[in-house]
Amino acid sequence: MPITDRVLALVVALVWGLNFVAIHLSLQQFPPFFLVALRFAVIAVPTVVLVRRPAVPWPWLLAYGFGFGVLQFVFLYLAMDNGMPTGLASLVLQSSAPFTVLLAGLVLRERLTARQSAGVGLAVLGLATIAAYRAGLDGGATVLPVLLTLCGGVGWALGNVANRQARSDRPFALMLWMTVVPPVPMLALYLALEGPARIGASLTTLNTVRGSLALAGLGFTVIAATLVGSGLWTALMSRHPSSTVAPFSMLVPVVGIAASAALLHEPTTAVELAAGAVVVAGVLLSTRPQRRRQLMTTGGDQPATEVMADRGERARRAPAPRSSRQQASGADSPRAARTDSSA
């Protein structure tokens, strides 16, 4: 992955980490399922009118929208609405990275190197350490919110694989059209489970401080997290293997825990900071570029291993040595005649 794309992946991790604080503020005002529908409907309506649909098969577009837009956020918002701490939610959702690697191997036949496997394993170890510690704190998440957030990670992974398989030459347009999928099923789900009463209450109290903060959080989610963050993520997933891009999402909980501690006053301890450092180390290990070996060709573009392979291939393709009789008769060939005349 080029250094520019690595920086863009870090920007996505920063934006998505801060987005968990924005989601927390929005959930103080809006019901979770309605908030998901509202988040994507704000983008979907102008997209249908103004943006030409990318030339990708409908099944992959629908799978991308259903995994990334519906499954991920219905479980995440439901978990946070049922008591999942903001910092811990940002952590557990990053289970999408190993889920993505696993699904990419099963569905797309992508192969992991030993270094990538070690990096992912190290990052997962750091995530598991933080999750175990946070779950044991007083007032921590119960089992149900954690399981709901893990389901959100599976949904994100399914969206990653569908995004990768779509292979659109217009990744930003693909991300915009993905937002067309979630609003209708999310509204139908909300109306079926809870009815319109909470929606009315949330919309009629927007003039309060809590309502203003919720709108600000929604604005950050739509513009920064969805348009900027998801747009960059879609572009990165279209240019690189899933197993290369997905580990960067493990940096999101480092930002999320720090932001929730600073802005929401959620406690952060030395154990969490140390485990967060392990997560960062794992991401760096799994995404570090391969070292280029010393070049042996005059052009300087071919690694030594490739040079040796080419030499071996040329040696195998070379004609067998001629016998002494063939060499003698070769004097009558045009090439030999030219040699004799030049002598």
Side-chain angles (χ1 to χ4, degrees):
M1 182 183 289
I3 185 63
T4 303
D5 285 355
R6 290 161 64 85
V7 171
L8 293 178
L10 293 176
V11 171
V12 174
L14 175 64
V15 169
W16 281 352
L18 293 174
N19 187 49
F20 283 89
V21 176
I23 293 173
H24 173 83
L25 295 176
S26 298
L27 285 172
Q28 304 302 306
Q29 179 71 20
F30 298 108
F33 296 164
F34 175 68
L35 182 59
V36 177
L38 189 62
R39 165 184 180 164
F40 288 106
V42 171
I43 305 173
V45 172
T47 294
V48 173
V49 176
L50 301 175
V51 181
R52 179 171 55 89
R53 188 178 73 84
V56 299
W58 272 107
W60 292 120
L61 176 60
L62 294 175
Y64 180 26
F66 185 75
F68 189 88
V70 177
L71 292 181
Q72 176 185 188
F73 293 108
V74 68
F75 287 116
L76 173 64
Y77 283 27
L78 187 61
M80 294 181 67
D81 192 54
N82 282 273
M84 186 73 167
T86 304
L88 187 57
S90 68
L91 163 67
V92 177
L93 188 65
Q94 305 322 308
S95 58
S96 65
F99 286 144
T100 298
V101 171
L102 178 62
L103 289 174
L106 294 175
V107 178
L108 306 182
R109 298 295 189 269
E110 294 183 0
R111 299 182 61 183
L112 277 179
T113 65
R115 177 177 52 80
Q116 287 177 317
S117 299
V120 170
L122 187 62
V124 169
L125 177 62
L127 292 173
T129 301
I130 299 176
Y133 180 81
R134 291 297 292 265
L137 293 176
D138 292 337
T142 60
V143 176
L144 179 59
V146 173
L147 293 177
L148 290 173
T149 310
L150 285 172
C151 291
V154 174
W156 186 358
L158 290 172
N160 282 339
V161 173
N163 176 11
R164 175 68 178 165
Q165 194 69 1
R167 302 184 185 278
S168 173
D169 58 350
R170 299 167 58 217
F172 189 72
L174 176 62
M175 186 279 300
L176 291 177
W177 270 87
M178 176 273 298
T179 65
V180 177
V181 178
V184 173
M186 293 307 304
L187 278 175
L189 183 62
Y190 175 77
L191 292 174
L193 295 179
E194 297 187 3
R198 288 187 63 188
I199 294 180
S202 65
L203 294 178
T204 55
T205 57
L206 291 176
N207 57 346
T208 62
V209 174
R210 187 178 68 176
S212 300
L213 291 175
L215 288 176
L218 178 62
F220 183 91
T221 297
V222 170
I223 297 173
T226 305
L227 292 179
V228 177
S230 298
L232 291 176
W233 188 260
T234 302
L236 292 172
M237 292 292 292
S238 67
R239 293 200 292 263
H240 305 287
S242 305
S243 56
T244 300
V245 181
F248 278 95
S249 67
M250 295 184 185
L251 295 175
V252 174
V254 178
V255 179
I257 290 175
S260 62
L263 301 177
L264 303 178
H265 306 292
E266 289 187 357
T268 304
T269 65
V271 174
E272 294 170 316
L273 295 177
V278 173
V279 174
V280 174
V283 172
L284 293 178
L285 177 62
S286 62
T287 60
R288 181 174 58 84
Q290 295 277 7
R291 291 184 178 180
R292 297 184 63 87
R293 298 188 180 184
Q294 185 176 2
L295 304 182
M296 297 180 59
T297 60
T298 55
D301 293 328
Q302 195 173 15
T305 54
E306 295 181 9
V307 172
M308 298 303 294
D310 289 347
R311 288 180 178 177
E313 182 66 20
R314 287 197 297 269
R316 287 191 296 271
R317 293 181 179 181
R322 294 183 299 175
S323 64
S324 59
R325 178 176 298 179
Q326 289 174 324
Q327 292 177 358
S329 62
D332 296 332
S333 65
R335 181 176 179 180
R338 288 194 299 270
T339 304
D340 292 341
S341 62
S342 63

